[in-house]
Amino acid sequence: MENEFKIREYRHADVHAVVDMLNAGGHPRAVVDGAWNVRLVRYVPVTSKKAVVEDRQGKIVGYAYVADKETSFIVETGGGVHPEYLGQGIGSILLNWAQKESVQINQNAPAGVKCVLQANIFEGESEAINLFEAEGFSKVREWAHYEIHLNNEPIKVTLPEGMSIRSF
């Protein structure tokens, strides 16, 4: 199975293939932004390191990123695997890559500081949860995501006398 897939550095030209792969499950998870970057539901810094996994035909079947979130001691990873390729070791390849990249980033952390690799996984992503737990990750907190649809004009705010809002 290892010979069936190869991991390589993400290239800017991969943007549409990565977005198509991430959205293949029927749930929109990514778009191409105006600067031709992959934008996930969750913000990923443009400066993050990225990798893709290709099958033998060169089709992108997996994607991951690692982002230095807190000056080299908290690193975040995320990404996805094409639904038709789940259970074939691609997530493990990407997670192994993310762990190695994180160790490199953590070398810049201040001495004595606890370093971690974290991931934010939605509760419906059972395959990802199982993979991370099998690789020794622990669930450390739960949170709720709230949103409001802004289809209408924002509420007009009356400012106190002497206060103004200026644009940048």
Side-chain angles (χ1 to χ4, degrees):
M1 188 179 321
E2 243 177 71
N3 295 330
E4 293 181 38
F5 304 104
K6 71 174 184 176
I7 189 166
R8 67 166 173 80
E9 187 174 328
Y10 169 87
R11 297 185 291 254
H12 202 63
D14 296 329
V15 67
H16 286 288
V18 167
V19 168
D20 290 346
M21 183 272 307
L22 289 170
N23 292 336
H27 304 291
R29 297 179 60 205
V31 297
V32 178
D33 72 10
W36 291 76
N37 292 307
V38 174
R39 291 290 179 204
L40 299 175
V41 171
R42 180 165 172 70
Y43 174 72
V44 178
V46 175
T47 57
S48 63
K49 294 182 179 186
K50 302 167 195 75
V52 295
V53 171
E54 296 177 331
D55 67 7
R56 286 185 181 178
Q57 291 74 42
K59 177 182 177 182
I60 293 176
V61 296
Y63 165 83
Y65 70 88
V66 292
D68 183 355
K69 302 296 276 186
E70 297 287 338
T71 318
S72 303
F73 58 91
I74 298 177
V75 179
E76 179 181 291
T77 188
V81 174
H82 191 287
E84 293 175 8
Y85 291 80
L86 292 173
Q88 297 184 43
I90 297 164
S92 295
I93 292 168
L94 290 166
L95 189 51
N96 182 274
W97 170 83
Q99 288 173 317
K100 287 179 182 176
E101 291 294 327
S102 298
V103 168
Q104 291 296 316
I105 292 169
N106 291 154
Q107 290 179 356
N108 299 319
V113 172
K114 177 182 172 183
C115 299
V116 298
L117 172 59
Q118 68 181 18
N120 296 298
I121 305 170
F122 294 104
E123 67 181 9
E125 297 175 314
S126 57
E127 294 91 353
I129 292 169
N130 293 338
L131 171 64
F132 276 78
E133 288 179 351
E135 293 292 329
F137 284 72
S138 303
K139 186 176 186 178
V140 293
R141 71 174 52 103
E142 293 183 35
W143 57 277
H145 178 90
Y146 294 88
E147 70 180 12
I148 187 169
H149 293 274
L150 300 173
N151 294 334
N152 301 322
E153 286 289 318
I155 299 170
K156 294 202 181 226
V157 177
T158 305
L159 298 173
E161 189 174 325
M163 185 179 279
S164 64
I165 298 176
R166 59 187 169 104
S167 61
F168 293 96

